[in-house]
Amino acid sequence: MRFTTVDYIIFALLLILSSAIGLYYALSGGKQRTTQEFLLANRNMGFIPVSLSLLATFQSAVAILGVPSEIYRFGTEYWFLGCSYFLGLLIPAYIFIPVFYRLRLTSTYEYLELRFSKAVRLCGTITFIFQMVIYMGVVLYAPALAFNAVTGISLWGVVLTMGLVCTLYTTLGGLKAVIWTDVIQTLVMFAGQLAVIIVGTAKVGSIQEVWNITMSHNKISGINFNPDPFVRHSIWSLGIGGIFLMLSLYGVNQAQVQRYLSSRTEKEAILSCYAVFPCQQLVLAMGCLTGLVMFAYYQKNEIQNPEMIAVPDQLVLYFVMDILKDFPGLPGLFVACLFSGALSTISSAFNSLATVTMEDLIKPYFPSLTESKATLLSKCLAMMYGLLCLGMAYISSLMGSVLQAALSIFGIVGGPLLGIFSLGFFFPFTNTIGAISGLVAGLLMAFWIGIGSFVDRMADSPAPMLNVTSPPDLGNVTTTVMTTLLTSAVATKSLSGLKKFHALSYMWYSAHNSTTVVIVGILVSLLTGQCPVNPFLPRHQSSPCCQGIETVLFTTRR
């Protein structure tokens, strides 16, 4: 199973096109001479490209490989996550986006200073940087590892090529280049997944045949109403826990908020959030269908090279190469789809990290920095984070089993950040001490559960999968490298006492940790002296501890 010349051409075209978009925006328009243009695309983007970019940012290779693997192994229960998308996107559209947009922020964490203090802003910024730096190296390394295992193409050649191309167009073209490459990459992702579904279904026989085979093997799941939070998937964990996960991603994450802020108007920013809803449902459906088609295919066909599939996620790419080997160009299209997901996620990380570093860690301490110097420094920061990403990919290759912990950290750090923003938005009496105490408590709780869960799974990690037609439930580390956010391993032993929390469903992580921040923040604020402000009132009606809130906040409630 190797690429043909046509496959290489299609894959190379994606990289060339991405680079060309970066060069175009570096040489046209304002030529990225201001921080507004470089970091916020001059605030003149329409809602369609913004919505596709919002979708692409977290539709990484992890999801493209992970969702079909999840469905293949455990059935369609994960599909119920789509129930959480409605409120998970409606709440940001009605609450978070209007506030952020009307304040004319560049960094999301500016709000934390306006609402609380510089100390809270700094804590939020450092937490976000820590989260994204760890994650982006893994996002770059994980698909390259799977790709190398199946195709034999040089692992570090792929890592370096992707990292350098991504760094190039992000550094040269700014947010506008990132958004438009995201649009192209999203279309490539749709095309690649659609090609696999159509060809795979034809090889099985028909969609009816796929349904019959998956039904007979109990892969079509019913609704699980079990309220136990330690059950891996239920309608409650996917529906309610999923809302908190979506809020942490689409409500307060800098990479997403920056896209809202690049919109021409507040209305277009809100429309972009609405437009993500049907796109997310389509992406989820395509991932799930790919998993069902893959399962049906390997119930009817013997796998030829089982030694090439050490873990389930490699099966996805193996399946693609298997069914598309007679269609020159289509394997290249899917691999382009796979790496489009990685490129869109990494470029968004570079841009958002450069933004928060400039706005939160440099500008406040160097107020006399000229616009031209600030823009040049922003580009240098984007390049620095790009090179750091390559370094993190290398470290990821040496860390081995710690990779699962790294992705788990990304999944659970978003909860505490959501919690601290919730304190500011919904609890006007909370103060700086309460906010910092809540964030620290939430992070400690997140690390305790996440690392404890990782250690427990490592102790019970079974052997790799050899029989792909009837895979066991795996806690294998390399599997979870790809899919920690999507496919947490099933607990293999009974835990008691405080260790029981290590078996908490990963879908509850964001809800549990954000709630911890809110509860601790409220209690500490009540004990240390309330801050009687309403963050949605104009400045003259607020107390001194919230003097920075702009009058414009008042209009968010009209």
Side-chain angles (χ1 to χ4, degrees):
M1 293 185 182
R2 291 290 183 266
F3 264 24
T4 65
T5 303
V6 178
D7 296 316
Y8 280 114
I9 291 172
I10 290 176
F11 183 56
L13 282 175
L14 171 73
L15 300 180
I16 293 170
L17 183 59
S18 298
S19 301
I21 291 173
L23 286 170
Y24 174 77
Y25 284 110
L27 301 173
S28 65
K31 299 183 180 179
Q32 311 300 316
R33 290 198 181 107
T34 67
T35 52
Q36 280 284 300
E37 185 169 12
F38 184 74
L39 300 176
L40 290 173
N42 252 355
R43 299 185 190 266
N44 65 357
M45 298 301 296
F47 80 93
I48 292 178
V50 169
S51 62
L52 291 176
S53 182
L54 286 166
L55 176 69
T57 298
F58 287 105
Q59 181 60 18
S60 69
V62 173
I64 294 169
L65 291 174
V67 174
S69 174
E70 160 69 22
I71 301 301
Y72 182 92
R73 297 164 64 202
F74 304 113
T76 58
E77 196 163 40
Y78 180 80
W79 209 330
F80 290 111
L81 180 65
C83 299
S84 69
Y85 290 172
F86 182 73
L87 283 178
L89 292 167
L90 191 66
I91 293 172
Y94 271 90
I95 297 176
F96 293 112
I97 295 175
V99 172
F100 292 143
Y101 194 89
R102 295 178 193 187
L103 281 174
R104 308 294 287 179
L105 305 178
T106 300
S107 165
T108 318
Y109 306 101
E110 290 179 67
Y111 171 82
L112 296 179
E113 180 179 350
L114 297 175
R115 173 61 179 85
F116 295 109
S117 66
K118 283 186 178 180
V120 179
R121 175 181 181 177
L122 191 62
C123 288
T125 299
I126 291 172
T127 302
F128 173 76
I129 291 174
F130 173 71
Q131 162 189 309
M132 294 303 287
V133 165
I134 289 178
Y135 183 62
M136 65 183 183
V138 178
V139 166
L140 179 59
Y141 179 73
L145 180 64
F147 184 47
N148 166 261
V150 177
T151 65
I153 295 175
S154 169
L155 170 65
W156 291 107
V158 175
V159 167
L160 285 171
T161 302
M162 285 179 58
L164 291 175
V165 166
C166 206
T167 302
L168 176 69
Y169 74 73
T170 305
T171 303
L172 292 177
L175 184 62
K176 191 170 286 188
V178 171
I179 288 176
W180 281 110
T181 51
D182 282 352
V183 171
I184 301 298
Q185 289 157 5
T186 301
L187 297 176
V188 171
M189 281 189 273
F190 279 132
Q193 288 181 296
L194 190 60
V196 171
I197 292 170
I198 292 172
V199 175
T201 301
K203 285 185 176 289
V204 172
S206 66
I207 194 67
Q208 183 65 46
E209 184 71 8
V210 171
W211 176 265
N212 292 338
I213 292 172
T214 51
M215 275 289 288
S216 64
H217 288 83
N218 298 317
K219 290 297 178 181
I220 307 299
S221 307
I223 301 176
N224 182 0
F225 287 101
N226 189 341
D228 185 353
F230 302 104
V231 172
R232 181 170 177 273
H233 283 165
S234 68
I235 192 64
W236 312 111
S237 66
L238 292 166
I240 300 175
I243 290 173
F244 283 85
L245 179 63
M246 293 296 291
L247 288 177
S248 69
L249 292 178
Y250 286 92
V252 299
N253 187 283
Q254 172 67 27
Q256 303 293 59
V257 172
Q258 207 166 323
R259 278 145 183 74
Y260 301 139
L261 298 177
S262 71
S263 300
R264 293 191 196 99
T265 63
E266 181 186 326
K267 182 179 179 181
E268 294 218 43
I270 293 171
L271 279 175
S272 69
C273 195
Y274 287 152
V276 172
F277 177 74
C279 295
Q280 280 281 21
Q281 296 287 1
L282 179 60
V283 165
L284 179 62
M286 291 177 73
C288 293
L289 283 172
T290 301
L292 292 177
V293 171
M294 184 168 67
F295 182 86
Y297 180 81
Y298 283 122
Q299 292 302 314
K300 295 185 71 172
N301 298 274
E302 185 90 17
I303 193 161
Q304 299 301 314
N305 304 103
E307 71 280 357
M308 295 179 67
I309 306 169
V311 292
D313 295 293
Q314 290 180 343
L315 177 60
V316 178
L317 197 48
Y318 182 94
F319 168 67
V320 169
M321 299 296 289
D322 191 5
I323 66 168
L324 298 182
K325 61 180 180 288
D326 298 325
F327 299 88
L330 288 187
L333 179 63
F334 183 82
V335 170
C337 153
L338 181 65
F339 283 97
S340 289
L343 287 171
S344 61
T345 301
I346 298 164
S347 62
S348 299
F350 292 169
N351 194 264
S352 59
L353 284 167
T355 300
V356 297
T357 304
M358 172 57 67
E359 296 296 323
D360 300 336
L361 303 183
I362 295 177
K363 275 190 175 180
Y365 303 100
F366 298 94
S368 60
L369 200 65
T370 64
E371 183 67 23
S372 59
K373 288 183 179 179
T375 306
L376 178 61
L377 187 53
S378 296
K379 294 181 179 181
C380 290
L381 286 169
M383 180 176 291
M384 180 196 75
Y385 280 118
L387 298 176
L388 181 61
C389 175
L390 293 174
M392 283 302 301
Y394 178 72
I395 292 172
S396 296
S397 70
L398 302 177
M399 289 166 65
S401 61
V402 183
L403 282 173
Q404 178 183 357
L407 274 184
S408 296
I409 288 170
F410 176 79
I412 58 186
V413 168
L417 286 175
L418 173 62
I420 199 170
F421 277 97
S422 298
L423 277 177
F425 273 77
F426 306 117
F427 301 94
F429 56 84
T430 53
N431 58 27
T432 295
I433 299 174
I436 293 176
S437 300
L439 180 61
V440 171
L443 288 171
L444 288 174
M445 181 66 74
F447 278 100
W448 173 57
I449 292 177
I451 294 176
S453 173
F454 166 70
V455 170
D456 288 337
R457 283 201 295 269
M458 280 303 301
D460 296 312
S461 181
M465 178 176 68
L466 296 176
N467 180 4
V468 295
T469 58
S470 55
D473 280 356
L474 294 181
N476 185 281
V477 172
T478 313
T479 301
T480 50
V481 166
M482 307 290 189
T483 57
T484 302
L485 290 178
L486 302 168
T487 57
S488 180
V490 178
T492 56
K493 69 176 181 179
S494 177
L495 299 171
S496 59
L498 289 176
K499 278 196 168 185
K500 177 73 172 175
F501 279 92
H502 295 170
L504 182 70
S505 169
Y506 75 106
M507 285 305 304
W508 286 114
Y509 279 0
S510 187
H512 178 271
N513 298 328
S514 60
T515 302
T516 299
V517 174
V518 169
I519 292 173
V520 172
I522 289 174
L523 291 176
V524 172
S525 295
L526 292 174
L527 291 172
T528 58
Q530 299 182 29
C531 179
V533 305
N534 186 334
F536 298 106
L537 288 178
R539 185 184 301 172
H540 69 275
Q541 295 184 33
S542 300
S543 74
C545 62
C546 196
Q547 288 179 2
I549 294 294
E550 302 291 341
T551 303
V552 71
L553 281 175
F554 180 61
T555 62
T556 62
R557 286 302 191 192
R558 289 182 178 175

